[in-house]
Amino acid sequence: MSAHLLFSLYVFVLAIFIGFEVISKVPATLHTPLMSGTNAIHGIVLVAAMLVLGAAHTQYQTILGFSAVVLGAANVVGGFAVTDRMLQMFKKKPSVPKDGNRNG
Amino acid sequence: MGNHSSLLPLIYLLLAVLFIVGIKQLSSPKTARNGNLLAAFSMLAAILITSAQEKILTAPIMLIGILIGGGVGLLLAYRVKMTDMPQLVALFNGMGGGAAALVEGTELFEKLGAHAPLLLARTIPMTVGTAIGCITFSGSMVAFGKLQGLIGPKASKSFILKALTLAFAAIILISATFFLIRINPLVYEVLAVTAFIFGIVMVIPIGGADMPVVISLLNSFTGLSVAFAGFVLRNNLLIISGTLVGASGTLLTQLMCRAMNRSLSNVLFGAFGASPGGKGELAVSGSPSSNGSIKQISLDDAAVLLAYAKNVIIVPGYGLAVAQAQHQIRDLADLLGKKGVEVKYAIHPVAGRMPGHMNVLLAEANVPYPQLHEMDEINPEFPRTDLVLVVGANDVVNPAARATKTSPIYGMPILNVDQAEKVVVLKRGMSPGFAGIENELFYNPKTYMLFGDARETLQKLTAAVKEA
């Protein structure tokens, strides 16, 4: 087993634990935005897609790589934008319009 | 990798830390938006730095691809209605999974073309990553189709589908093994296509109500697939980010299942009715109450009940989300407030089409945040409440979850609306909820049924309250 692979495995295993730890307590309110936010983060695959498209030699590879870039870009941009749109809704809380606070 | 090779991993480490902090902040209401922006910033940095390093962004094809994908993503993200958010997440997730599989495929063909040696250290993550990526891609598309109403949302218990699922799983395993022993592009393509079909037959039988859990699961799958792409490309940033999503996504899926008192295997392999002691016992548990009859109420009578109540708790559910009636419910609540009625909203953890979705919808309609109450907070208040208005919610207010041991939803935390003085249930028809079981609440003597589309009925109800 190469040193590089071994190192990657270390990283992989430790990242699993961090992933579990980091969201231990999430209010149900945030389940959907959190899912959407992590959905955007795996859009990092765009970086990989750009790397393989950059290295493509044949037409077949170019088509595959190009498709990967398109899908990955949509994942990243759309993912973050939609998450921000969701979270924006929560931000409106303090400036409640009109007669909002009558039950407060 | 040239002479930057010592610097790039350090930058990647920093960006990975930003992702971790971003996710951490996303899981707390105060910092959530900040966390998302932080992660987005880290992503942008990762893309730019990688591009600069590899000098690839200048290639026109790269820019065209990013512009097309990014443009479509942005357009969808800002065009889609808040109620349709869940399927959009499914769509983006599928795209990510597809991209991961394509990356692994491109890398394989590149290495084959260059006659480079392919060790198991690469082919194993390549195989697993491709299979998962293809499953996520097609599975997410089916989930999207179901939530969007393109595919029938009903759960199916067809044995043929189950048999097919098993058969395709077997083909995936066999072709994967074969590929690992003897690298062959054709076998790889068979593997990818089979995994694609497997994703379809896996998600098709699952009912529309369980889609949030499925999307969350597929989200963590995509994370894993991306992590495997990281192994293939020897890129630690991909491994860390993908794994983070894989692990946190798995935990989130479990949290969602817990909120519905269901196990993941139950969601994936058995629709409610199919669980042991399903239909037969359901009928039994439903029957004593079915002896009673339901009472309908007219719009005007319901308006009078609402207008002259001291306090009203509104329980919004899936039906409200589907009918996109969040603005109408707010109008009604505002009017009641003006009339001196104390109005609160009771939000069940899984109300809407996804956990937390109802809060987003009501926030969109500018419902004052102090009026929203979570289940544990509001449950003690039901006995002191004059009237509960249930809009398009069913299983989350079914007392059987508290009392009927044989009921499939027994033990699921519910809103105790049956303890209120009176209950008005606004519903499209008498069809059962996701669980496919009768709701005793509807037969309760203090319950009045008001049938109709949530949006239209709420409009009429508001008008009637004005008159009352």
Side-chain angles (χ1 to χ4, degrees):
Chain A
M1 192 180 279
S2 75
H4 193 281
L5 176 64
L6 197 63
F7 179 68
S8 296
L9 279 176
Y10 270 74
V11 170
F12 178 65
V13 173
L14 292 176
I16 291 178
F17 280 90
I18 294 177
F20 273 118
E21 280 306 310
V22 83
I23 64 149
S24 50
K25 268 181 286 171
V26 193
T29 323
L30 281 177
H31 281 177
T32 299
L34 181 63
M35 187 205 300
S36 182
T38 55
N39 175 41
I41 288 175
H42 66 51
I44 188 77
V45 72
L46 173 61
V47 169
M50 290 167 68
L51 289 174
V52 293
L53 178 59
H57 289 299
T58 65
Q59 202 178 19
Y60 188 39
Q61 289 164 25
T62 308
I63 293 172
L64 289 182
F66 181 72
S67 312
V69 168
V70 172
L71 291 179
N75 184 184
V76 169
V77 176
F80 281 118
V82 97
T83 313
D84 192 56
R85 216 181 127 200
M86 281 185 207
L87 293 169
Q88 238 174 329
M89 311 258 125
F90 293 101
K91 267 227 148 178
K92 282 186 189 161
K93 275 176 250 163
S95 57
V96 174
K98 291 183 229 168
D99 43 59
N101 248 344
R102 63 186 181 267
N103 287 323
Chain B
M1 288 245 169
N3 44 7
H4 295 288
S5 55
S6 59
L7 191 59
L8 195 63
L10 277 179
I11 298 175
Y12 276 177
L13 179 64
L14 180 72
L15 297 180
V17 170
L18 289 185
F19 279 141
I20 296 171
V21 176
I23 296 182
K24 177 93 197 157
Q25 293 192 341
L26 264 173
S27 52
S28 160
K30 270 186 194 147
T31 53
R33 197 169 177 209
N34 212 7
N36 186 51
L37 292 178
L38 191 66
F41 166 78
S42 174
M43 183 69 72
L44 183 67
I47 292 166
L48 290 180
I49 289 166
T50 313
S51 311
Q53 170 89 12
E54 307 287 332
K55 300 188 181 62
I56 46 178
L57 195 60
T58 45
I61 190 169
M62 202 75 68
L63 283 174
I64 295 172
I66 292 176
L67 285 179
I68 294 178
V72 169
L74 204 61
L75 199 71
L76 285 174
Y78 282 102
R79 276 292 171 84
V80 163
K81 288 190 224 85
M82 268 302 167
T83 36
D84 294 341
M85 229 34 118
Q87 51 264 51
L88 195 61
V89 176
L91 190 69
F92 289 144
N93 178 51
M95 288 174 165
L102 285 168
V103 163
E104 281 139 1
T106 317
E107 182 68 7
L108 169 71
F109 291 112
E110 211 268 319
K111 286 279 175 295
L112 284 176
H115 300 285
L118 275 164
L119 300 173
L120 282 177
R122 287 203 184 195
T123 52
I124 291 177
M126 207 176 257
T127 316
V128 183
T130 303
I132 299 178
C134 288
I135 292 171
T136 330
F137 179 70
S138 59
S140 298
M141 293 307 149
V142 173
F144 169 78
K146 285 208 166 205
L147 287 175
Q148 190 71 24
L150 304 173
I151 306 172
K154 282 265 164 57
S156 147
K157 284 147 240 161
S158 148
F159 284 100
I160 303 171
L161 270 177
K162 278 196 178 153
L164 272 179
T165 315
L166 284 179
F168 283 117
I171 301 177
I172 292 174
L173 284 180
I174 293 167
S175 51
T177 317
F178 194 81
F179 174 78
L180 290 178
I181 295 170
R182 200 187 192 109
I183 311 287
N184 177 326
L186 188 66
V187 179
Y188 177 82
E189 282 156 353
V190 169
L191 171 78
V193 171
T194 318
F196 180 84
I197 304 174
F198 177 84
I200 299 175
V201 294
M202 182 182 95
V203 179
I204 276 243
I206 302 172
D210 285 327
M211 276 310 132
V213 176
V214 173
I215 296 171
S216 176
L217 184 72
L218 291 174
N219 183 38
S220 63
F221 275 12
T222 306
L224 273 184
S225 185
V226 171
F228 287 124
F231 276 101
V232 173
L233 297 181
R234 301 197 167 176
N235 183 316
N236 281 323
L237 182 61
L238 253 73
I239 297 181
I240 297 178
S241 325
T243 312
L244 276 177
V245 176
S248 63
T250 307
L251 191 64
L252 188 59
T253 312
Q254 282 173 349
L255 290 177
M256 286 189 187
C257 284
R258 207 172 298 155
M260 292 193 280
N261 195 37
R262 302 194 56 184
S263 70
L264 189 56
S265 64
N266 192 292
V267 169
L268 289 180
F269 306 117
F272 257 135
S275 59
K279 281 282 178 225
E281 283 185 52
L282 302 185
V284 175
S285 76
S287 59
S289 43
S290 328
N291 291 338
S293 57
I294 61 153
K295 275 200 303 281
Q296 280 203 51
I297 188 169
S298 74
L299 215 58
D300 292 329
D301 290 342
V304 170
L305 280 185
L306 282 166
Y308 294 99
K310 204 159 69 251
N311 50 359
V312 171
I313 295 181
I314 297 173
V315 179
Y318 183 78
L320 179 120
V322 173
Q324 305 191 357
Q326 67 269 33
H327 294 278
Q328 283 70 23
I329 194 81
R330 197 223 152 178
D331 288 344
L332 178 63
D334 280 358
L335 181 63
L336 289 173
K338 281 194 197 106
K339 288 196 173 250
V341 182
E342 187 196 351
V343 182
K344 287 177 180 170
Y345 295 82
I347 313 291
H348 191 274
V350 297
R353 310 193 96 181
M354 249 188 198
H357 188 211
M358 189 54 69
N359 301 65
V360 175
L361 289 182
L362 295 177
E364 190 209 9
N366 280 323
V367 169
Y369 191 73
Q371 287 183 9
L372 303 184
H373 297 271
E374 300 212 355
M375 182 175 61
D376 298 333
E377 201 182 312
I378 198 132
N379 258 343
E381 296 196 26
F382 282 109
R384 306 194 283 273
T385 303
D386 285 352
L387 183 70
V388 173
L389 178 63
V390 179
V391 185
N394 192 343
D395 296 328
V396 298
V397 294
N398 190 343
R402 222 173 39 223
T404 314
K405 284 222 168 83
T406 51
S407 173
I409 60 166
Y410 179 72
M412 179 174 96
I414 59 158
L415 292 161
N416 299 325
V417 302
D418 56 326
Q419 293 170 353
E421 190 85 10
K422 285 198 177 71
V423 182
V424 172
V425 179
L426 170 52
K427 218 175 156 320
R428 224 180 333 201
M430 272 310 281
S431 59
F434 316 139
I437 54 173
E438 293 270 1
N439 193 335
E440 291 165 25
L441 178 73
F442 303 159
Y443 300 96
N444 191 313
K446 54 184 165 188
T447 304
Y448 303 88
M449 305 298 292
L450 182 59
F451 291 118
D453 171 71
R455 195 176 168 139
E456 209 180 308
T457 314
L458 282 172
Q459 262 164 3
K460 287 183 191 160
L461 199 56
T462 311
V465 170
K466 258 182 210 150
E467 305 285 313

